[in-house]
Amino acid sequence: MEDDLRMAAAIRRGLQAEGLVADVATRGEDALWMAGATEFDAVILDLMLPGIDGFETCRRLREDGVWAPIIMLTARDAIEDRVRGLDRGADDYLVKPFSLVELLARLRALARRGQAERPPMLEVGDLRMDPATQQVWRGEQEIQLSRKEFVLLETFMRRPGEVLSKFQLLERAWDYDYENRSNVVEVYVRYLREKVDRPFGVKSIETVRGAGYRLRKDA
Amino acid sequence: MEDDLRMAAAIRRGLQAEGLVADVATRGEDALWMAGATEFDAVILDLMLPGIDGFETCRRLREDGVWAPIIMLTARDAIEDRVRGLDRGADDYLVKPFSLVELLARLRALARRGQAERPPMLEVGDLRMDPATQQVWRGEQEIQLSRKEFVLLETFMRRPGEVLSKFQLLERAWDYDYENRSNVVEVYVRYLREKVDRPFGVKSIETVRGAGYRLRKDA
DNA sequence: CCGGCTTCTCAGGCTCCTCTCATCTTTATC
DNA sequence: GATAAAGATGAGAGGAGCCTGAGAAGCCGG
């Protein structure tokens, strides 16, 4: 049970990483209700659902006119389960444990939908950032940033032109209750300038004395 | 043997009654030859074939570009057989004795899923991969990879340029509930680099410290 | 049943990141 | 121009994150 929830979460994350969206139902009845309410592209069905069991859920889904592909997840050696499942209208099955690649491959085959949408690029003036690939460019030139530097720059680029206080920056990029007397932000702003501005002879990260910092809109 | 022939005949009659046509091969070699000569919608493969054995036959069929669904028949209720079979490209398997209804149900399910298309080649820069035959090349040079190495590289090649966290890689290429505290990913990334990069003097698999790894788009 | 290959673990080493601290520079205010 | 506050900078300690080599365990084919 614990385990199943972990698995559901893992699958969900996996799908999200693929640019797909997933809803999770922990009980057969919920699954039926959800399927009735929304149109899904595919259904992944764990046979061990409490309440109405997986087979019955599958049968009823079909009965309710859900024609999306259904993939069933079965425990290790319950072989007969598969026949029952296939006969009740499932399209495929996976034996646990399985890897996400496997599941995704089967989903692709079944749902054959367009490839994943990627999180959009951030652009501020000359600066471009791809949050998905953790890459940053100024013009054509790629810039290598450390993790913290990247997160800090992302914070700026999501609020171009706005003044961000050191406290705001701390909250967002460090998510930590830092003591006020630390000067990490100042230090990291400096690192950023060193990599993002100086080599290009620009000054896109401005200091607003007494208030914080600001990334120029025309960075 | 006697028995197997009787079974083959029975299956054939059963399929005919369903309006389907079947050819029977009694030896692995014959099966390969027939599959090469004609295009089948599905293959039912008895593991106990004389001559080349069932597993090998299955592997060769896939290698020869036969993409029809393959159902294996096995006398043994051994899990390892199933795994071996699926590893070699079978789509499903049945334990003898089984009922014709059962066999037909699975055939229907497989046919419905209509997976008879060959998975496309993956290409990233200089790297090419055929997910179906488990082959990988860099330029003209073929590269030998173990199963895990292959799955890992496939994961990278399906998301070129993107940073994949170790966690993502674990979830995708290993079992969904693999322990997190292991450093398998690091080790396998190293193995991959050893085979895919080093001999060619390139660095296509990049470490993104604190985030994961990335396969360069221009690998 | 043996030998090779694959998978995975573990411990130690190394690199680079993160953050602190002390000091220097700039800016505002008198 | 003197003084204080705010910010910038350099240097470096410590540690997290990653790499590597060795080897145990399991599987497979001969």
Side-chain angles (χ1 to χ4, degrees), chain B residues 6-216:
Chain B
R6 284 222 324 278
M7 185 185 67
I11 290 176
R12 185 172 188 167
R13 275 195 309 276
L15 294 177
Q16 277 170 349
E18 204 76 2
L20 307 170
V21 184
D23 290 330
V24 174
T26 53
R27 300 165 31 83
E29 291 86 339
D30 298 345
L32 287 173
W33 183 87
M34 279 168 56
T38 325
E39 190 136 319
F40 289 97
D41 293 312
V43 176
I44 303 167
L45 194 57
D46 193 326
L47 276 189
M48 302 322 273
L49 282 178
I52 304 176
D53 85 358
F55 296 119
E56 186 61 13
T57 306
C58 181
R59 200 184 58 73
R60 295 233 201 138
L61 281 173
R62 290 302 188 216
E63 210 172 275
D64 290 356
V66 172
W67 301 111
I70 296 181
I71 296 182
M72 299 202 323
L73 307 181
T74 165
R76 295 159 285 182
D77 186 5
I79 302 275
E80 320 83 62
D81 275 5
R82 193 201 76 214
V83 176
R84 280 180 71 196
L86 294 180
D87 266 356
R88 281 168 179 71
D91 295 282
D92 204 346
Y93 89 124
L94 264 182
V95 178
K96 292 189 284 190
F98 53 86
S99 75
L100 240 144
V101 174
E102 218 172 307
L103 175 59
L104 289 172
R106 302 209 189 190
L107 270 180
R108 270 193 300 273
L110 286 176
R112 181 148 26 105
R113 145 170 151 210
Q115 70 135 92
E117 345 156 7
R118 178 184 180 125
M121 280 278 212
L122 294 174
E123 304 199 15
V124 178
D126 215 9
L127 282 173
R128 279 181 307 132
M129 160 179 290
D130 187 336
T133 63
Q134 299 225 14
Q135 283 177 297
V136 178
W137 299 263
R138 163 142 258 152
E140 289 310 302
Q141 180 69 47
E142 182 170 354
I143 300 173
Q144 296 297 332
L145 295 183
S146 78
R147 178 94 190 105
K148 268 277 135 66
E149 289 161 356
F150 185 89
V151 172
L152 182 58
L153 182 57
E154 180 178 352
T155 309
F156 277 119
M157 291 185 71
R158 289 199 183 281
R159 316 221 113 226
E162 258 179 69
V163 172
L164 301 174
S165 72
K166 278 186 272 193
F167 186 68
Q168 276 177 301
L169 293 168
L170 258 189
E171 283 198 330
R172 289 161 178 247
W174 276 261
D175 289 340
Y176 66 90
D177 61 352
Y178 205 87
E179 306 256 0
N180 208 1
R181 53 185 161 73
S182 152
N183 74 333
V184 243
V185 176
E186 287 154 53
V187 173
Y188 268 84
V189 163
R190 178 178 153 231
Y191 292 163
L192 262 190
R193 283 170 168 161
E194 208 74 21
K195 293 186 174 181
V196 166
D197 278 355
R198 184 118 119 214
F200 304 90
V202 293
K203 300 210 163 166
S204 60
I205 303 177
E206 299 178 328
T207 301
V208 183
R209 196 165 227 265
Y213 297 92
R214 163 174 54 211
L215 178 66
R216 295 174 56 103

Side-chain angles (χ1 to χ4, degrees), chain A residues 62-124:
Chain A
R62 289 303 186 216
E63 210 173 274
D64 290 355
V66 173
W67 294 113
I70 297 180
I71 295 184
M72 297 203 324
L73 308 180
T74 89
R76 184 167 281 281
D77 39 13
I79 295 157
E80 329 75 53
D81 281 2
R82 291 184 6 230
V83 185
R84 285 179 64 197
L86 294 177
D87 272 349
R88 277 171 180 72
D91 295 281
D92 205 344
Y93 68 94
L94 266 181
V95 177
K96 293 189 280 191
F98 52 86
S99 79
L100 253 158
V101 169
E102 217 173 314
L103 174 59
L104 289 171
R106 303 214 187 188
L107 268 181
R108 268 193 296 274
L110 288 175
R112 81 183 57 137
R113 27 178 5 222
Q115 254 308 342
E117 273 172 52
R118 304 244 315 268
M121 283 275 216
L122 293 175
E123 303 199 16
V124 178

Side-chain angles (χ1 to χ4, degrees), chain A residues 27-203:
Chain A
R27 301 165 31 84
E29 290 87 341
D30 298 345
L32 286 172
W33 183 87
M34 279 167 55
T38 324
E39 191 136 316
F40 288 95
D41 293 311
V43 177
I44 302 168
L45 195 57
D46 193 326
L47 277 190
M48 301 326 269
L49 283 178
I52 303 178
D53 84 358
F55 297 116
E56 186 60 13
T57 306
C58 182
R59 201 184 58 72
R60 293 231 203 140
L61 282 173
R62 289 303 186 216
E63 210 173 274
D64 290 355
V66 173
W67 294 113
I70 297 180
I71 295 184
M72 297 203 324
L73 308 180
T74 89
R76 184 167 281 281
D77 39 13
I79 295 157
E80 329 75 53
D81 281 2
R82 291 184 6 230
V83 185
R84 285 179 64 197
L86 294 177
D87 272 349
R88 277 171 180 72
D91 295 281
D92 205 344
Y93 68 94
L94 266 181
V95 177
K96 293 189 280 191
F98 52 86
S99 79
L100 253 158
V101 169
E102 217 173 314
L103 174 59
L104 289 171
R106 303 214 187 188
L107 268 181
R108 268 193 296 274
L110 288 175
R112 81 183 57 137
R113 27 178 5 222
Q115 254 308 342
E117 273 172 52
R118 304 244 315 268
M121 283 275 216
L122 293 175
E123 303 199 16
V124 178
D126 215 9
L127 281 174
R128 281 181 307 132
M129 160 179 290
D130 186 336
T133 69
Q134 302 240 356
Q135 284 175 297
V136 178
W137 299 263
R138 163 141 257 154
E140 289 310 302
Q141 180 68 47
E142 183 171 352
I143 300 173
Q144 297 293 336
L145 296 182
S146 81
R147 182 102 189 98
K148 268 274 137 62
E149 291 160 355
F150 185 90
V151 173
L152 183 58
L153 181 57
E154 182 177 350
T155 310
F156 278 119
M157 291 185 70
R158 290 197 183 282
R159 295 218 152 54
E162 255 177 73
V163 175
L164 300 173
S165 73
K166 279 186 259 190
F167 183 72
Q168 280 177 298
L169 294 169
L170 263 186
E171 283 244 306
R172 166 68 205 244
W174 274 263
D175 68 11
Y176 196 99
D177 256 343
Y178 256 85
E179 311 251 357
N180 263 3
R181 53 182 165 74
S182 162
N183 73 334
V184 243
V185 176
E186 280 139 319
V187 173
Y188 269 84
V189 164
R190 176 183 153 231
Y191 292 162
L192 263 190
R193 285 170 167 161
E194 206 74 21
K195 293 186 175 180
V196 165
D197 279 354
R198 183 118 118 215
F200 303 91
V202 293
K203 299 211 164 167

